[in-house]
Coordinates of all heavy atoms in Angstrom, one line a residue:
N1490 N 40.6 -204.4 79.2 CA 41.5 -203.3 79.8 C 40.6 -202.5 80.8 O 39.5 -202.2 80.5 CB 42.2 -202.5 78.9 CG 43.0 -203.3 78.0 OD1 42.5 -204.0 77.0 ND2 44.4 -203.1 78.1
E1491 N 41.1 -202.0 81.9 CA 40.4 -201.0 82.7 C 41.4 -200.1 83.4 O 42.5 -200.5 83.6 CB 39.6 -201.9 83.7 CG 40.2 -202.7 84.7 CD 39.3 -203.5 85.6 OE1 38.4 -204.1 85.0 OE2 39.4 -203.4 86.8
L1492 N 40.8 -198.9 83.6 CA 41.6 -197.8 84.2 C 41.2 -197.7 85.7 O 40.0 -197.6 85.9 CB 41.3 -196.5 83.4 CG 42.0 -195.2 83.9 CD1 43.5 -195.4 83.8 CD2 41.5 -194.1 83.1
H1493 N 42.2 -197.7 86.5 CA 41.9 -197.4 88.0 C 42.5 -196.0 88.3 O 43.8 -195.7 88.2 CB 42.7 -198.4 88.8 CG 42.0 -199.8 88.7 ND1 42.5 -200.8 89.3 CD2 41.1 -200.3 87.9 CE1 41.8 -202.0 89.1 NE2 40.9 -201.6 88.1
V1494 N 41.6 -195.1 88.6 CA 42.2 -193.8 89.0 C 41.4 -193.1 90.2 O 40.4 -193.6 90.7 CB 41.8 -192.8 87.7 CG1 42.7 -193.1 86.5 CG2 40.3 -192.9 87.3
S1495 N 41.9 -192.0 90.7 CA 41.4 -191.4 91.9 C 40.3 -190.4 91.5 O 39.5 -189.8 92.3 CB 42.5 -190.7 92.6 OG 43.2 -189.9 91.8
D1496 N 40.3 -189.9 90.3 CA 39.3 -188.9 89.7 C 38.7 -189.4 88.5 O 39.3 -189.0 87.4 CB 40.0 -187.6 89.7 CG 39.0 -186.5 89.4 OD1 37.9 -186.8 88.9 OD2 39.4 -185.3 89.6
A1497 N 37.7 -190.2 88.4 CA 37.1 -190.8 87.2 C 36.6 -189.6 86.2 O 36.8 -189.8 85.0 CB 36.1 -191.7 87.4
A1498 N 36.0 -188.6 86.7 CA 35.4 -187.6 85.8 C 36.5 -186.9 85.0 O 36.3 -186.6 83.9 CB 34.6 -186.5 86.8
K1499 N 37.6 -186.7 85.7 CA 38.7 -186.0 84.9 C 39.2 -186.9 83.9 O 39.5 -186.5 82.7 CB 39.9 -185.6 86.0 CG 41.0 -184.8 85.3 CD 42.0 -184.5 86.4 CE 43.0 -183.5 85.8 NZ 44.0 -183.1 86.9
A1500 N 39.4 -188.2 84.2 CA 39.9 -189.2 83.2 C 38.8 -189.4 82.1 O 39.3 -189.4 80.8 CB 40.0 -190.6 83.8
V1501 N 37.6 -189.4 82.3 CA 36.6 -189.6 81.3 C 36.7 -188.4 80.3 O 36.6 -188.5 79.1 CB 35.1 -189.6 81.9 CG1 34.0 -189.3 80.9 CG2 35.0 -190.9 82.7
A1502 N 36.7 -187.1 80.8 CA 36.8 -186.0 79.9 C 38.1 -186.1 79.0 O 37.9 -185.8 77.8 CB 37.0 -184.7 80.8
F1503 N 39.2 -186.5 79.5 CA 40.4 -186.6 78.7 C 40.3 -187.6 77.7 O 40.5 -187.4 76.5 CB 41.6 -187.1 79.6 CG 42.8 -187.4 78.8 CD1 43.7 -186.4 78.4 CD2 43.3 -188.7 78.6 CE1 44.8 -186.7 77.7 CE2 44.4 -188.9 77.9 CZ 45.1 -187.9 77.5
Y1504 N 39.7 -188.9 77.9 CA 39.7 -189.9 77.0 C 38.5 -189.7 75.9 O 38.8 -190.2 74.7 CB 39.5 -191.3 77.6 CG 40.9 -191.6 78.3 CD1 41.0 -191.6 79.7 CD2 42.0 -192.2 77.6 CE1 42.3 -191.9 80.3 CE2 43.1 -192.6 78.1 CZ 43.3 -192.4 79.6 OH 44.5 -192.8 80.1
Q1505 N 37.6 -189.1 76.3 CA 36.5 -188.8 75.4 C 37.0 -187.8 74.3 O 36.7 -188.1 73.1 CB 35.3 -188.1 76.0 CG 34.4 -189.1 76.8 CD 33.2 -188.4 77.5 OE1 33.4 -187.3 78.0 NE2 32.1 -189.0 77.6
H1506 N 37.7 -186.8 74.7 CA 38.2 -185.9 73.6 C 39.4 -186.5 72.8 O 39.5 -186.3 71.6 CB 38.8 -184.6 74.4 CG 37.7 -183.8 74.8 ND1 37.2 -183.9 76.1 CD2 37.2 -182.7 74.3 CE1 36.3 -182.8 76.2 NE2 36.2 -182.2 75.1
L1507 N 40.2 -187.4 73.5 CA 41.4 -187.9 72.7 C 41.1 -189.0 71.8 O 41.4 -189.0 70.6 CB 42.4 -188.4 73.8 CG 43.7 -189.1 73.0 CD1 44.4 -187.9 72.3 CD2 44.6 -189.7 74.2
F1508 N 40.2 -189.9 72.1 CA 39.8 -191.1 71.3 C 38.4 -191.1 70.8 O 38.0 -192.1 70.1 CB 40.1 -192.4 72.1 CG 41.5 -192.6 72.4 CD1 41.9 -192.7 73.8 CD2 42.5 -192.7 71.4 CE1 43.3 -193.0 74.2 CE2 43.9 -192.9 71.8 CZ 44.3 -193.0 73.1
D1509 N 37.7 -190.1 71.1 CA 36.1 -190.1 70.7 C 35.3 -191.3 71.3 O 34.5 -191.8 70.6 CB 36.1 -190.0 69.2 CG 36.6 -188.7 68.6 OD1 36.3 -187.7 69.3 OD2 37.1 -188.7 67.6
W1510 N 35.9 -191.8 72.5 CA 35.1 -192.9 73.1 C 33.8 -192.5 73.5 O 33.6 -191.3 73.9 CB 35.9 -193.5 74.1 CG 37.1 -194.2 73.8 CD1 37.4 -194.8 72.6 CD2 38.2 -194.7 74.7 NE1 38.6 -195.5 72.6 CE2 39.1 -195.4 73.8 CE3 38.5 -194.3 75.9 CZ2 40.3 -196.0 74.4 CZ3 39.6 -194.8 76.5 CH2 40.6 -195.7 75.7
N1511 N 32.9 -193.3 73.5 CA 31.6 -193.1 74.1 C 31.7 -193.6 75.6 O 31.7 -195.0 75.7 CB 30.4 -193.9 73.3 CG 29.0 -193.7 74.0 OD1 28.8 -192.7 74.8 ND2 28.2 -194.5 73.8
I1512 N 31.7 -192.8 76.6 CA 31.9 -193.4 77.9 C 30.6 -193.0 78.7 O 30.1 -192.0 78.8 CB 33.1 -192.6 78.6 CG1 34.4 -192.9 77.7 CG2 33.3 -193.2 80.0 CD1 35.6 -192.2 78.3
V1513 N 30.0 -194.2 79.3 CA 28.8 -194.2 80.0 C 28.9 -194.5 81.5 O 29.5 -195.4 81.8 CB 27.8 -195.3 79.3 CG1 26.4 -195.1 80.0 CG2 27.6 -195.0 77.9
Q1514 N 28.4 -193.6 82.4 CA 28.5 -193.8 83.7 C 27.5 -194.9 84.2 O 26.3 -194.9 83.9 CB 28.2 -192.5 84.5 CG 28.4 -192.6 86.0 CD 28.3 -191.4 86.8 OE1 28.0 -190.3 86.1 NE2 28.7 -191.3 88.0
E1515 N 28.0 -195.9 84.9 CA 27.2 -197.0 85.4 C 26.8 -196.9 86.8 O 25.8 -197.4 87.2 CB 28.0 -198.3 85.1 CG 28.1 -198.6 83.5 CD 28.7 -200.0 83.3 OE1 29.6 -200.3 84.0 OE2 28.1 -200.7 82.4
S1516 N 27.8 -196.3 87.6 CA 27.5 -196.1 89.0 C 28.4 -194.8 89.4 O 28.8 -194.2 88.6 CB 27.9 -197.3 89.8 OG 29.4 -197.5 89.7
N1517 N 28.3 -194.6 90.7 CA 29.0 -193.4 91.2 C 30.5 -193.5 90.9 O 31.2 -192.5 90.7 CB 28.9 -193.2 92.7 CG 27.4 -192.7 93.1 OD1 26.7 -192.2 92.3 ND2 27.0 -193.0 94.3
D1518 N 31.1 -194.7 90.8 CA 32.5 -194.8 90.6 C 32.9 -195.8 89.5 O 34.0 -196.2 89.4 CB 33.2 -195.3 92.0 CG 32.5 -196.6 92.5 OD1 31.7 -197.2 91.7 OD2 32.9 -197.0 93.6
S1519 N 31.9 -196.0 88.6 CA 32.2 -196.9 87.4 C 31.7 -196.3 86.1 O 30.6 -195.9 86.1 CB 31.6 -198.2 87.8 OG 31.7 -199.1 86.6
Y1520 N 32.5 -196.4 85.0 CA 32.2 -196.1 83.7 C 32.4 -197.1 82.7 O 33.5 -197.7 82.8 CB 32.9 -194.7 83.4 CG 32.6 -193.6 84.1 CD1 33.2 -193.4 85.4 CD2 31.8 -192.5 83.7 CE1 32.9 -192.3 86.3 CE2 31.5 -191.5 84.5 CZ 32.1 -191.3 85.7 OH 31.8 -190.4 86.5

């Protein structure tokens, strides 16, 4: 599964808090 969004940083903050996921930035536009 993957998420396509216009503001990745905002999405990362939401899902980290909601699901305790470990989200790692791989490039400017990919996590």
Side-chain angles (χ1 to χ4, degrees):
N1490 301 73
E1491 60 187 55
L1492 178 63
H1493 293 183
V1494 289
S1495 54
D1496 187 342
K1499 188 174 183 179
V1501 166
F1503 173 82
Y1504 288 102
Q1505 280 180 325
H1506 284 92
L1507 183 60
F1508 294 124
D1509 292 325
W1510 286 342
N1511 178 23
I1512 303 179
V1513 179
Q1514 187 168 6
E1515 295 186 316
S1516 68
N1517 288 337
D1518 55 7
S1519 174
Y1520 296 77

